């Protein structure tokens, strides 16, 4: 990949004030500091963005990112766990792809919990105490109405985490790069890549709790993407109408889940509604932000009924490599990934262009 090259280019562009000035004059964002004012967008034509974005995304583009994440794990002891060099390399990769696509990228730190002793390390010793999340957003759209979509960027220590949650990361990258940094939207779109999900959603929690009240209030909804390419994947939508009311999500979550379920349905599969299970949506739900999640199942077995509505093998687990060393590029089911990509692109486009507000 040309990651190193694109980062160098970015640095050079920032290094020359004249170039930065020209960039500012022509309406590009000059490097680094200060939040650019939202700039005028092309008029929003209802339905157009969804159609365009769904037409543009595909599993082939996402697979390129998954191959790169696999290489990163291969170079870093077989995993991308946070904290570890594989995690930081994943954060660099994501930042590079987004910058090359014209986005400004922020890497706000979160504080790592020191509480968990983990795997035999002496407590309080080595390793970083903070790690970066990776966050970017469109320059267009109302910053008082922000649609946030997120995936976790870390793996477990046991493996490279290409489905869990490389599939979510690759989905976000494919959608972001096809959407571009200045699409015709009414609401701003933000992409979040969270660290340390596998040790208690620490990255997403640090992000949400670190926001000002005003910034939290500006978040219209949160869409979580965690495992969307398993070999025997189902098509689950978390939140909203889950059968456990305590896990149904704040008001508005049902609407978010409905749109995602409709979008999955429009790709030709039958989605199933389930409750939240404590992924990165947790801090958003706790902050009363309407939320839904896309998730294809992990260690449970697919029932005959689920196989009938979602395809795949009844009596087999959704993901035989869940949290194992075999969660490699070989573990990815591009068909499942493609359904979710289109459904999430449609869902994101819907909420990015809607005039409706959620409770
Ligand atoms: Zn996960």
């Amino acid at each position: 990949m040309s990651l190193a090259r694109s980062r160098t280019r970015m640095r050079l562009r920032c290094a020359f004030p004249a170039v930065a000035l020209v960039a500012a004059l022509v309406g590009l964002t000059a490097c680094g500091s200060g939040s650019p004012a939202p700039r005028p967008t092309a008029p929003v034509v209802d339905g157009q963005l969804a159609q365009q974005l769904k037409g543009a995304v595909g599993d082939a583009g996402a697979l390129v990112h998954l191959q790169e994440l696999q290489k990163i794990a291969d170079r870093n002891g077989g995993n991308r766990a946070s904290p570890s060099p594989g995690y930081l390399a994943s954060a660099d990769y994501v930042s590079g792809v987004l910058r090359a696509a014209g986005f400004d990228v922020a890497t706000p730190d979160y504080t790592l919990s020191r509480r968990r002793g983990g795997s035999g390390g002496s407590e309080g010793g080595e390793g970083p105490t903070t790690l970066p999340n990776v966050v970017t957003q469109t320059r267009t759209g109302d910053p008082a109405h922000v649609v946030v979509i997120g995936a976790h960027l870390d793996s477990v220590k046991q493996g490279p985490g290409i489905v869990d949650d490389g599939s979510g990361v690759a989905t976000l990258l494919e959608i972001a790069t096809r959407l571009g940094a200045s699409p015709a939207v009414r609401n701003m779109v933000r992409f979040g890549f969270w660290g340390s999900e596998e040790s208690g959603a620490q990255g997403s929690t640090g992000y949400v709790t670190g926001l000002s009240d005003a910034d939290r209030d500006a978040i219209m909804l949160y869409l979580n993407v965690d495992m969307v390419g398993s070999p025997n994947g189902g098509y689950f939508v978390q939140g909203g109408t889950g059968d456990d009311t305590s896990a149904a999500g704040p008001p508005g979550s049902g609407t978010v889940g409905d749109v995602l379920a409709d979008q999955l349905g429009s790709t030709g599969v039958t989605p199933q509604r389930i409750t939240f299970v404590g992924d990165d949506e947790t801090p958003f739900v706790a902050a009363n932000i309407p939320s839904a999640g896309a998730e294809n199942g992990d260690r449970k077995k697919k029932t005959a009924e689920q196989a009938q509505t979602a395809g795949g093998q009844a009596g087999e687990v959704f993901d035989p490599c869940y949290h194992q060393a075999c969660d490699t590029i070989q573990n990815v089911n591009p068909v499942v990934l493609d359904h979710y990509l289109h459904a999430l692109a449609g869902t994101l486009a819907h909420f990015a262009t809607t005039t409706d507000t959620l409770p």
Side-chain angles (χ1 to χ4, degrees):
M1 266 301 284
S2 57
L3 175 57
R5 230 173 10 233
S6 70
R7 297 180 76 211
T8 308
R9 218 183 307 137
M10 187 68 190
R11 219 174 292 129
L12 283 176
R13 205 158 70 201
C14 297
F16 294 109
V19 179
L21 179 64
V22 171
L25 287 174
V26 299
L28 299 167
T29 302
C31 307
S33 61
S35 43
R39 57 205 72 249
T41 81
V44 175
V45 180
D46 288 313
Q48 194 177 64
L49 181 66
Q51 201 183 10
Q52 284 171 349
L53 199 55
K54 284 199 281 186
V57 300
D59 59 296
L63 282 167
V64 170
H65 302 304
L66 290 175
Q67 279 153 2
E68 293 302 318
L69 293 175
Q70 177 70 60
K71 286 184 206 164
I72 287 169
D74 292 344
R75 284 195 296 266
N76 290 281
N79 71 79
R80 302 181 300 103
S82 47
S84 81
Y87 176 74
L88 293 173
S90 300
D92 277 352
Y93 173 71
V94 166
S95 301
V97 168
L98 293 168
R99 287 193 176 114
F103 285 91
D104 296 312
V105 178
T107 53
D109 279 342
Y110 63 94
T111 302
L112 267 178
S113 162
R114 281 278 157 207
R115 195 160 40 82
R116 44 186 204 97
S119 52
S122 58
E123 58 183 63
E126 310 108 62
T129 55
T130 62
L131 283 176
N133 290 311
V134 179
V135 181
T136 191
Q137 62 194 15
T138 55
R139 296 196 186 95
T140 47
D142 183 352
H145 292 97
V146 186
V147 176
V148 183
I149 184 169
H152 71 84
L153 190 50
D154 64 318
S155 71
V156 291
K157 287 183 201 144
Q158 290 80 359
I162 299 305
V163 169
D164 183 13
D165 187 24
S167 61
V169 169
T171 295
L172 264 61
L173 289 178
E174 171 69 353
I175 292 175
T177 54
R178 306 293 176 183
L179 180 69
S182 303
V185 288
R186 293 193 173 96
N187 306 311
M188 184 173 273
V189 179
R190 183 175 302 157
F191 297 85
F193 301 83
W194 319 121
S196 304
E197 189 275 345
E198 300 289 7
S199 46
Q202 294 184 60
S204 53
T205 301
Y207 176 76
V208 174
T209 56
L211 293 174
S212 68
D213 288 351
D215 284 345
R216 256 196 308 275
D217 287 347
I219 298 177
M220 189 175 146
L221 64 100
Y222 178 66
L223 258 179
N224 195 53
V225 189
D226 194 348
M227 296 185 70
V228 288
S230 291
N232 194 34
Y235 296 96
F236 297 108
V237 172
Q238 296 171 311
T241 60
D243 51 13
D244 175 352
T245 49
S246 68
S253 300
T255 305
V256 184
D258 285 347
V259 172
L260 177 55
D262 284 352
Q263 288 289 335
L264 270 169
S266 77
T267 71
V269 295
T270 307
Q272 187 180 345
R273 305 293 285 269
I274 60 169
T275 56
F276 291 121
V277 293
D279 298 331
D280 284 315
E281 79 287 343
T282 306
F284 292 90
V285 167
N288 217 31
I289 294 165
S291 299
E295 191 253 322
N296 70 193
D298 45 52
R299 64 179 105 211
K300 283 192 189 150
K301 286 184 179 166
K302 188 178 271 187
T303 64
E305 196 190 350
Q306 286 168 337
Q308 216 164 47
T309 59
Q313 297 294 314
E316 303 288 331
V317 293
F318 293 106
D319 194 326
C321 288
Y322 176 63
H323 283 189
Q324 294 180 47
C326 61
D327 186 9
T328 65
I329 192 77
Q330 307 297 334
N331 194 39
V332 177
N333 182 338
V335 175
V336 173
L337 185 60
D338 200 59
H339 281 290
Y340 271 113
L341 257 173
H342 285 91
L344 287 160
T347 303
L348 203 66
H350 169 84
F351 286 112
T353 54
T354 188
T355 53
D356 296 345
T357 52
L358 293 165

